[in-house]
Amino acid sequence: MRPITDNSAHSPVTDGADDEVAERLAAALRCATVSADDPARSADAEFARLADHLEAAFPLTHAELELTVFGRSRLYRWPGVEEGVSAILLAHQDVVPADDPQRWTHPPFAGVVDDEFIWGRGAIDDKSRVLAVLEAVEWALRNGIRPTRTVYLAFGHDEEVFGDGGAVRMAGHLRDLGVRADLLLDEGGVITDGVADGVDRPVASIMLGEKGYATVRLSVTETGGHSSMPGRQTAVGRLARAVARVQDRPMPLRLTPVIADMLARMRVALPGPRRKLLGLTDSEVLSRLAAPLLTRIMALAPSTEALVRTTTAPTVIAGGVKANVLPQSAEALVNFRILPGDSAAAVLAHCRRVIGDDGVTVELVGPTSEPSRVDGPGPAYELIAELATGLVPGIVTTTGLVPGATDSRHYDDLVDTRCNFAPIVLDAKDLERIHGTDERISRLNYARLIEFNRRLIQRLAAPSDRPEQAASTDRTAPEPTGTQQ
């Protein structure tokens, strides 16, 4: 992998990660750090193995950065030479289970490396980003590079189960210290190739926020009895009607400012008729007229409908115990991903309105998060877009919303701008591997990811002749290395 110099700071990456770099990631993938809703079922020994590997593989980082641990989450403080905090770089160590390991080309936790790919659960989501950040920091320390202002690295251990034991505690710690950062960088957006319909080049989606999350439980209680003498309705029938009404009457389509900005930036890569339609959004009056048509077009595909609507997904239904017994109760779970401008309270009100049946109890259950704050693109976004374009020439850079939930939401009030993005190029089949079968990352994509973080650190770095001794003036008290919280 070509090292960064002043002359190569905008050069594309064309060589894949070498064997030594690939093996460090593969070793991390061999740690089966599967997150669990029940802390008692946590793969604690696997997280300990991963921690040992990180400390052995990146000795300079662990010698020079200040580490505070929160359970198995790891918060590093890299002191700058000037006051303030420039960035919080997020990634997570945990992974989801592999449902059917027999379907994988290589076992999901074998960490196989071949000439083209590094295979294993977490190769994309999200251990590659943990390791890539540490590779970049280790490289920077080796080359005498230090940040101008303090940088935090926050690696959660329970992002896949909503981050209460990791990101919530790390963000609270930074909040207590009065930290405020210019940039937060996390997972969420990538460079897609051939995924956006009608777009003639790869699209780098640098997400500026994320949708909220809510699960609604619909429940019905009836008398029950023998199936030979049913009443006019059963608990299952009543519940089924309620679920159908919620699914068939989704919340309204709406074009939010961030998605309007996303479409405007993508216009240059669209064919003529679509480009002309999007051109209407340049006028405020015409934009109001064009928005309903644009949202209806986007609603034709699930991947784009999620950008213009609070989505509705019935996911669990249960009721009854035997074919000839009238059920006394039945319940269903419906998951909603909430568009900015809507809320969990609005979701509940919508469900009650469209169901229109007082015999159906409607309530929120489980983790709930409101949509994140979404600010317009600013200097931090432009920096990430510039770095992405340097790595992969010819791409279109645009904004967007993460449809799922990430650890970023816990840090919203600590940062001026959040960007959810990794500069890896994926097609539709690659996207299916995330949380699916045969997750893998190409050596080339992994090299891009490391180089992106190197270049980002360089842009955050102080000139080499600045005194390092001035380093702890970021309005936050330094933490001793290895502190347990």
Side-chain angles (χ1 to χ4, degrees), residues 183-224:
L183 166 69
L184 180 142
L185 183 65
D186 194 10
E187 64 174 336
V190 296
I191 302 172
T192 56
D193 190 9
V195 174
D197 184 38
V199 177
D200 61 7
R201 65 184 88 167
V203 176
S205 298
I206 304 169
M207 310 302 197
L208 297 180
E210 67 185 54
K211 298 178 78 174
Y213 180 100
T215 299
V216 174
R217 179 166 60 201
L218 312 179
S219 56
V220 175
T221 301
E222 297 287 353
T223 303

Side-chain angles (χ1 to χ4, degrees), residues 85-156:
V85 175
S86 60
I88 304 172
L89 308 182
L90 267 59
H92 64 88
Q93 308 166 67
D94 61 317
V95 299
V96 297
D99 287 343
D100 187 358
Q102 298 304 314
R103 296 177 57 197
W104 287 59
T105 300
H106 303 288
F109 297 104
V112 170
V113 179
D114 62 24
D115 290 342
E116 189 175 1
F117 297 104
I118 307 158
W119 299 75
R121 177 61 85 221
I124 294 177
D125 185 11
D126 187 38
K127 285 181 183 172
S128 56
R129 292 186 61 258
V130 173
L131 273 288
V133 170
L134 292 174
E135 291 280 0
V137 171
E138 192 81 1
W139 169 85
L141 293 172
R142 212 164 40 239
N143 286 277
I145 297 170
R146 301 294 186 276
T148 304
R149 293 186 295 147
T150 295
V151 173
Y152 285 94
L153 320 176
F155 301 148

Side-chain angles (χ1 to χ4, degrees), residues 34-42 160-162 367:
V34 178
S35 52
D37 291 300
D38 180 1
R41 297 175 55 232
S42 172
E160 299 291 0
V161 290
F162 302 102

